[in-house]
């Protein structure tokens, strides 16, 4: 039976999990505070008879669902946090927030995590029905957006015994990419000076804000001397009390990115020197804290081939007339140039798009390519062979972290892409438990070769979840 059983079980769980995804979309939650989402998913999986463990170490909303025993041990990753300031009404093609300034699921984690629950549920049922040996796990991972929930889970060792891992992200195309993502570190620098009346006796003060601004000047000059692909982004989130008071305190938040972990760490080292220099120039005191660290993604061609084959075996998505109209109207928001530039890296001809959707899954990219973004999936990919893919939950060229994506991910267009992803992961998992078991060892050898003697470095023991 195999694949037919998976498809039957996907259909059995589909309606309940489409509803769950939209319920999570309607109640967007910040990282490490996903209390509604984690309860919905835990309750569903407990109801199926899965063993559920929560919390995971210091991460309150994380949980692990497990079924079966022995090897292979195959993991599926999920997420459920939302983004600040990206509230948007679903199914609209104009910007119209549900609540101005509030959180919104503009990265589709309402679909991402629920697709994992769907895959786990269908595959668990099939394993029961067909007596398939092995261990299946679903990892509910909080706070992916800049906060690295998986990093804390990795520090706790929960991924260490995995033989391989599958993960997914909503997007505008059904695709498996062989490219990487940047390593990332989020830091805050705090300066403490001496307050004084800015008009009456400024010479008595030592400005913490001057220190922040001088640090930023140094960092901006540093940009010329970091590697291609290295990135520095910052915001000043504390600038003192008032213009007529020499600021006693000020602080700046930095994101540092680079294609490889050691490259990113070297930029961090030099950024700290900029901060120390600014403190010397202003006679202020500087401290800093690391809020999150993410490793770069380690693509695995062996796992990608399994994932791509499964994605090609999924049932095609059929859209209603109403959904087609929405897709066409959303595509019309963008210029032809934006559509073409989105298609080009994936080798898609814009003329082949139907309602903004590519006609078939795409396998593209290689390990020499690194996208500008970052994800804590990179941490998992350093520990075990990991395949990551996307499905079309929005039309090309809608991109993540926009009001347009939030609008799409709260509709049936989004949930249909989610169901496709759940089916693909369940089919890939089935193959890895049965006729493609030998592929796992090949994937492990590939990861070992790519690491070239490097190993995963957990976040420091004293680092704790960061609540923005």
């Amino acid at each position: 039976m195999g694949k037919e059983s998976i498809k039957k079980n996907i259909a059995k769980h589909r309606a309940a999990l489409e509803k769950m995804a939209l319920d999570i979309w309607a109640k967007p939650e910040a990282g490490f505070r996903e209390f509604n989402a984690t309860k919905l998913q835990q309750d569903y999986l407990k109801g199926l008879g899965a063993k559920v463990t929560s919390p995971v170490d210091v991460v309150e909303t994380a949980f692990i669902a497990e079924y079966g025993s022995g090897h292979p041990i195959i993991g599926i990753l999920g997420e459920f946090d939302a983004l600040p300031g990206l509230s948007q009404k679903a199914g609209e093609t104009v910007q119209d927030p549900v609540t101005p300034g509030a959180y919104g699921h503009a990265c589709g984690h309402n679909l991402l995590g629920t697709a994992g629950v769907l895959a786990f549920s269908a595959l668990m049922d099939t394993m029961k029905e067909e007596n398939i040996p092995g261990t299946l796990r679903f990892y509910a991972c909080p706070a992916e957006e800049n906060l690295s929930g998986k990093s804390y889970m990795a520090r706790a060792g929960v991924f260490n015994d995995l033989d391989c891992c599958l993960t997914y992200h909503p997007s505008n195309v059904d695709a498996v990419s062989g490219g990487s993502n940047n390593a990332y570190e989020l830091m805050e620098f705090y300066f403490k000076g001496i307050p004084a009346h800015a008009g009456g006796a400024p010479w008595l003060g030592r400005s913490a804000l001057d220190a922040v601004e001088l640090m930023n000047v140094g960092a901006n000059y540093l940009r010329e001397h970091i590697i291609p692909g290295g990135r520095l982004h910052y915001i000043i989130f504390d600038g003192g009390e008032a213009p007529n008071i020499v600021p006693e305190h000020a602080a700046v938040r930095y994101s540092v990115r680079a294609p490889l972990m050691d490259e990113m760490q070297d930029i961090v080292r030099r950024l700290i020197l900029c901060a120390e220099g600014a403190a010397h120039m202003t006679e202020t005191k500087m401290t800093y804290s690391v809020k999150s660290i993410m490793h770069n993604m380690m693509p695995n061609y062996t796992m990608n081939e399994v994932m791509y084959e499964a994605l090609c075996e999924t049932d095609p998505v059929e859209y209603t007339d109403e959904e087609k109209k929405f897709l066409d109207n959303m595509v019309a928001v963008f210029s032809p140039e934006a559509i073409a530039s989105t298609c080009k890296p994936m080798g898609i001809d814009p003329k082949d798009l139907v309602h903004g959707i590519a006609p078939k899954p795409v396998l593209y990219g290689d390990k020499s390519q690194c996208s500008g973004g970052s994800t804590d999936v990179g941490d998992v990919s350093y520990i075990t062979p990991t395949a990551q893919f996307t499905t079309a939950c929005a039309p090309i060229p809608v991109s993540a972290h926009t009001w347009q994506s939030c609008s799409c991910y709260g509709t049936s267009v989004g949930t249909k892409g989610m169901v496709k992803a759940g089916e693909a992961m369940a089919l890939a998992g089935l193959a890895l438990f049965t006729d493609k078991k030998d592929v796992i060892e090949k994937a492990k050898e590939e990861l070992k070769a790519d690491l070239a003697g490097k190993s995963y470095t957990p976040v420091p023991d004293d680092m704790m979840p960061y609540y923005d």
Side-chain angles (χ1 to χ4, degrees), residues 93-263:
T93 55
V94 294
Q95 189 170 14
D96 187 7
V98 177
T99 305
Y103 277 76
H105 274 288
C107 206
H109 292 182
N110 62 307
L111 305 173
L112 194 166
T114 313
V117 175
L118 177 59
F120 180 95
S121 302
L123 185 49
M124 174 181 166
D125 285 349
T126 297
M127 291 173 74
K128 283 182 179 178
E129 292 163 6
E130 303 193 10
N131 239 357
I132 297 172
T135 303
L136 176 65
R137 291 193 193 137
F138 172 69
Y139 294 86
C141 308
E144 188 273 342
E145 300 293 351
N146 296 324
L147 303 173
S148 67
K150 294 181 194 68
S151 302
Y152 295 102
M153 297 171 76
R155 183 177 69 188
V158 299
F159 305 115
N160 289 356
D161 62 346
L162 280 180
D163 288 300
C164 61
C165 193
L166 306 172
T167 188
Y168 152 73
H169 205 290
S171 184
N172 52 29
V173 67
D174 299 343
V176 180
S177 170
S180 183
N181 298 92
N182 279 316
Y184 171 90
E185 188 160 329
L186 180 68
M187 309 176 72
E188 289 182 351
F189 294 84
Y190 316 99
F191 292 87
K192 183 172 174 57
I194 300 172
H197 193 294
W203 56 88
L204 297 178
R206 298 293 181 268
S207 172
L209 182 58
D210 284 356
V212 163
E213 293 188 312
L214 284 167
M215 177 190 173
N216 293 343
V217 169
N220 287 330
Y221 277 105
L222 175 62
R223 292 177 198 277
E224 181 185 355
H225 305 288
I226 63 177
I227 61 164
R231 297 286 186 270
L232 291 171
H233 332 282
Y234 66 82
I235 59 167
I236 298 172
F237 65 94
D238 176 10
E241 301 293 346
N244 65 341
I245 302 171
V246 173
E248 180 181 14
H249 53 81
V252 60
R253 182 177 301 148
Y254 267 84
S255 293
V256 183
R257 301 179 199 261
L260 298 174
M261 194 70 180
D262 55 356
E263 295 170 339

Side-chain angles (χ1 to χ4, degrees), residues 10 38 48-49 65 107 113 134 150 211 229 239 275 277 300 318 327 338 374 401 416 438 441 452 462:
I10 288 287
T38 193
L48 300 181
C107 206
K150 294 181 194 68
N300 192 284
E318 295 183 4
L327 287 166
S374 307
H401 294 216
K416 285 182 175 180
D438 58 324
E441 288 309 311
D462 60 352

Side-chain angles (χ1 to χ4, degrees), residues 390-418:
T390 63
T391 61
C393 298
I396 289 174
V398 171
S399 64
H401 294 216
T402 63
W403 66 262
Q404 292 98 331
S405 59
C406 189
S407 175
C408 292
Y409 296 157
T411 68
S412 57
V413 167
T415 59
K416 285 182 175 180
M418 177 203 79

Side-chain angles (χ1 to χ4, degrees), residues 205-347:
R206 298 293 181 268
S207 172
L209 182 58
D210 284 356
V212 163
E213 293 188 312
L214 284 167
M215 177 190 173
N216 293 343
V217 169
N220 287 330
Y221 277 105
L222 175 62
R223 292 177 198 277
E224 181 185 355
H225 305 288
I226 63 177
I227 61 164
R231 297 286 186 270
L232 291 171
H233 332 282
Y234 66 82
I235 59 167
I236 298 172
F237 65 94
D238 176 10
E241 301 293 346
N244 65 341
I245 302 171
V246 173
E248 180 181 14
H249 53 81
V252 60
R253 182 177 301 148
Y254 267 84
S255 293
V256 183
R257 301 179 199 261
L260 298 174
M261 194 70 180
D262 55 356
E263 295 170 339
M264 183 273 290
Q265 290 168 330
D266 189 58
I267 297 172
V268 167
R269 177 188 65 81
R270 298 175 74 183
L271 182 64
I272 293 169
L273 292 176
C274 291
E276 290 172 347
H280 281 298
M281 284 189 284
T282 54
E283 293 186 302
T284 57
K285 294 181 180 178
M286 184 276 294
T287 58
Y288 68 88
S289 64
V290 177
K291 298 302 183 183
S292 66
I293 304 172
M294 301 180 193
H295 285 59
N296 55 287
M297 185 73 186
M298 299 292 287
N300 192 284
Y301 292 154
T302 307
M303 290 292 295
N304 281 358
E305 288 173 8
V306 175
M307 197 67 252
Y308 181 70
E309 184 177 323
L311 186 56
C312 290
E313 290 175 342
T314 57
D315 292 333
V317 173
E318 295 183 4
Y319 297 109
T320 65
D321 290 342
E322 185 178 357
E323 289 165 343
K324 291 174 184 176
K325 182 180 179 182
F326 168 67
L327 287 166
D328 289 340
N329 289 341
M330 184 60 80
V331 170
V333 171
F334 299 90
S335 68
E337 291 77 16
I339 295 169
S341 66
T342 303
C343 289
K344 185 176 180 180
M346 297 179 286

